[in-house]
Amino acid sequence: MENERIKLVPPSLKYAGSMLTVINESQAELSQFLPWASESLTENELEHNIKEALANFTNFTGEFWFNIIEKETGLFIGVIGFIVRDKSVPYFEIGYWLQTSKVGKGYITEAVKLIEKYAFTDNHAQRLEIKMASSNLKSQAVAKRCGFQFEAQLMNARRLPSGELDNTLVYAKMCL
């Protein structure tokens, strides 16, 4: 999947080193909302996660992701995750993170639009969902910009990596 600026490629050990570098470089921002994005993440743990994501991708089950590659440079810049919530509906959830230096340039909005096509056209989704901490204003902006509708606020439904309690917001888009 690709557009003029990015391409989305399946999980691959090929990007493990680049991914770890970007995670470490962007750790201060990522660790606000993503518990796995801590200074203690090792290359071995990341490789294990990539292998698991690749198996899930191959079997179209559980959680996997697509690496976001900037076409102009060929560099890994982030991830858009894909969670198979219920194949019988079909119903999927997406999540995303981006290298801090690339934030605010439209890359995640473009990735969400590409993954929507993958969900709705290629996999016949009836429902696509984005969930985030209510304090994650940037993620809320992406969901709104991509036409997802606010559905719910789940009070005290998550604990942030900082230990602070937060609400979970649910945005959804139905079959086109």
Side-chain angles (χ1 to χ4, degrees):
M1 293 177 282
E2 62 184 273
N3 66 15
E4 301 78 34
R5 296 194 317 150
I6 61 170
K7 63 181 175 178
L8 305 183
V9 298
S12 169
L13 288 170
K14 170 183 174 181
Y15 296 104
S18 300
M19 185 182 285
L20 190 58
T21 298
V22 168
I23 291 168
N24 288 335
E25 175 187 309
S26 306
Q27 196 269 334
E29 293 78 16
L30 295 177
S31 65
Q32 292 175 46
F33 301 107
L34 304 171
W36 56 261
S38 70
E39 293 174 358
S40 64
L41 180 66
T42 67
E43 190 170 347
N44 284 341
E45 290 170 328
L46 182 59
E47 287 179 4
H48 172 76
N49 291 343
I50 292 170
K51 288 175 184 174
E52 186 176 323
L54 184 55
N56 288 347
F57 174 81
T58 301
N59 297 316
F60 198 74
T61 189
E63 183 175 354
F64 55 90
W65 66 77
F66 293 91
N67 298 296
I68 304 170
I69 307 301
E70 185 179 45
K71 287 173 75 172
E72 182 179 340
T73 63
L75 296 175
F76 169 90
I77 61 169
V79 158
I80 186 156
F82 195 85
I83 304 171
V84 178
R85 289 291 182 205
D86 188 336
K87 284 184 189 180
S88 72
V89 172
Y91 154 40
F92 310 110
E93 181 182 339
I94 60 173
Y96 35 77
W97 61 266
L98 194 65
Q99 182 175 8
T100 300
S101 62
K102 301 296 182 179
V103 170
K105 299 179 180 180
Y107 288 113
I108 288 296
T109 298
E110 292 176 27
V112 168
K113 290 178 181 180
L114 288 170
I115 211 77
E116 275 184 48
K117 182 177 185 281
Y118 175 74
F120 288 122
T121 304
D122 300 349
N123 291 290
H124 312 291
Q126 296 299 304
R127 176 182 179 81
L128 190 57
E129 197 172 78
I130 302 174
K131 294 179 185 173
M132 78 277 304
S134 65
S135 58
N136 190 340
L137 302 179
K138 290 179 181 177
S139 193
Q140 288 178 54
V142 168
K144 291 173 187 174
R145 200 167 32 252
C146 292
F148 283 71
Q149 300 299 309
F150 175 76
E151 277 196 343
Q153 179 171 220
L154 310 175
M155 304 303 287
N156 294 335
R158 71 173 58 213
R159 193 160 300 277
L160 298 174
S162 68
E164 183 180 347
L165 201 55
D166 201 351
N167 303 331
T168 295
L169 303 182
V170 180
Y171 285 81
K173 190 179 265 193
M174 303 310 142
C175 180
L176 303 173

